[in-house]
Amino acid sequence: MKKTFDIAIIGGGVIGMSLARALAARGAELALFDASVSVPPATNAAAGMLAPSFEHGHGGDCVSEALYHFGAHSLSLWPNYAAALEEETGQFIDFRGDGALGLAYTEAHANELGEQASRVAARGGDASIISGDDARAMEPALSKEILCALWAPNDAQVDPKRLLIALRAAVEKKAVQLFPEKVARIDVEDNGPRCTTFSGEAFSARKIVVAGGAVSGLVDAGLVFPVKGDATAIEIEEGFLTRVVRAPGAYLCPKAGGRLVIGASEEYGRDGDAVDAKAIETLQANAAIAAPQLKGSKELERWTGLRPGTPDAAPILGQTDTGVYLALGHYRNGVLHAPASAQEMTALILDGEASEYLESFNPSRFGKDKALQHG
Ligand SMILES: Cc1cc2nc3c(=O)[nH]c(=O)nc-3n(C[C@H](O)[C@H](O)[C@H](O)COP(=O)(O)OP(=O)(O)OC[C@H]3O[C@@H](n4cnc5c(N)ncnc54)[C@H](O)[C@@H]3O)c2cc1C
């Protein structure tokens, strides 16, 4: 078995896979370790909203200017990224660049949406308030109780499960060597870094990147921690809704094949794979307030996932003082951020170039020496 590589990536979610694809396209010889059998990727739990407008200021966090612009920049990469990935692999990923609607039923909701529109406009984004009738003209299934809506024409969506299948196919085509193994530790020695799997195999690489999501066991738990989210999918007729709808207490994301993804709860610091039945009931009830014909629809599945949270809700992209690279902590927006994260990390790893985004998201903002558990 080959045990020496140019670059080893730890983690095969959307962030690790996108980075592997980008690095392999530049000719790097790569190993990718992924423990998805024991640690399921958050990517498969995501709704796939590509939503810098709606996410800006979510829950009082995600407010930084750099984070908004990083999300908007990544969104601008998405149409070409999706088209190239589909072309390369022949896999349909259900990318839809048809905007998103946020609903208000009360004056209080309307005020919140107004503030959101102003926040986005202040950053140079496009978000406006439209009437309930205009929202229903776009999506006739929506409730007549809607007072007004926030219309974000540039927000988009993709199907994350299809995306991950396509990314995997892309990296396999590029001869990235995939190891379905969990990495137990990273050691940085004089002759370079080395990672060792739980089965005891050691691999060396000139550069190692940790992209292991919320619970890799390799990064200080105060820096990247799980934020558990439950979600569900119900059956709809194709075309019942066409675009993302963000209602009070639930978002609704129509996917190909008559599947409507409804999400999501949010519990800080919680991990585990148990789905909270009460949270699912509440999400389904809130979805049926937004689109009343959904009441009683057949549930297809329910699941939970662990978002990789960080203390300031922004990703951690860069290099620690031990030389190990981190591509972590994309929290609620890893699918949105994947193209830009891969682009920025590739420039850093292969060319030593750090853009202003990387300066904002550098691990040193938390104290470099604390970043790695092992190193
Ligand atoms: C309910 C829910 C809804 C979401 N909705 C959206 C959305 O609409 N839009 C959006 O942009 N984002 C969304 N997110 C967030 C998004 O899913 C994450 O930000 C993103 O998936 C993080 O990707 P990642 O590659 O960093 O981590 P992951 O997808 O978690 O992948 C990490 C991988 O690393 C592997 N791994 C971990 N440790 C090791 C190790 N030591 N050795 C080897 N392998 C290891 C794991 O097995 C896993 O496969 C949502 C998340 C949840 C939970």
Side-chain angles (χ1 to χ4, degrees), residues 26-280:
R26 294 270 311 268
E29 192 193 19
L30 290 167
L32 188 145
F33 297 86
D34 186 50
S36 44
V37 175
S38 55
V39 187
T43 305
N44 276 342
M49 295 174 290
L50 310 174
S53 309
F54 276 97
E55 288 295 315
H56 187 48
H58 167 85
D61 53 17
C62 307
V63 282
S64 87
E65 188 167 356
L67 189 55
Y68 174 78
H69 289 300
F70 188 62
H73 167 59
S74 201
L75 178 63
S76 76
L77 301 177
W78 255 101
N80 284 343
Y81 178 86
L85 186 59
E86 286 189 339
E87 161 122 28
E88 218 168 293
T89 61
Q91 298 279 347
F92 168 64
I93 62 169
D94 200 8
F95 170 75
R96 303 178 188 202
D98 51 5
L101 283 166
L103 310 183
Y105 309 129
T106 64
E107 287 296 338
H109 295 150
N111 288 339
E112 280 169 28
L113 292 184
E115 282 166 20
Q116 183 69 12
S118 308
R119 255 197 307 266
V120 172
R123 301 287 188 217
D126 191 354
S128 56
I129 300 298
I130 61 171
S131 70
D133 285 345
D134 285 346
R136 275 187 300 277
M138 286 186 205
E139 295 291 352
L142 293 179
S143 160
K144 294 193 171 51
E145 302 302 313
I146 295 165
L147 208 58
C148 64
L150 176 64
W151 170 230
N154 298 323
D155 281 11
Q157 65 164 325
V158 67
D159 185 328
K161 288 193 169 88
R162 292 178 189 269
L163 170 66
L164 203 50
I165 291 169
L167 283 169
R168 192 183 169 99
V171 302
E172 278 174 346
K173 268 185 136 180
K174 289 191 157 65
V176 172
Q177 204 149 332
L178 298 176
F179 296 91
E181 297 226 38
K182 187 163 186 189
V183 170
R185 58 179 296 117
I186 298 170
D187 296 290
V188 181
E189 293 159 355
D190 288 345
N191 56 350
R194 205 160 53 104
C195 60
T196 307
T197 64
F198 274 93
S199 58
E201 302 283 353
F203 297 81
S204 54
R206 284 195 300 115
K207 296 172 180 180
I208 292 186
V209 188
V210 182
V215 286
S216 71
L218 299 169
V219 177
D220 188 294
L223 285 194
V224 182
F225 47 81
V227 182
K228 186 171 179 290
D230 296 327
T232 175
I234 60 174
E235 190 172 56
I236 52 168
E237 270 188 33
E238 195 103 29
F240 173 77
L241 282 177
T242 58
R243 49 175 71 73
V244 171
V245 172
R246 306 208 24 160
Y251 53 69
L252 295 74
C253 304
K255 305 293 181 193
R259 201 166 151 261
L260 182 70
V261 172
I262 303 170
S265 61
E266 195 164 52
E267 287 179 88
Y268 278 77
R270 273 278 312 277
D271 59 11
D273 57 7
V275 181
D276 178 347
K278 187 95 189 89
I280 299 295

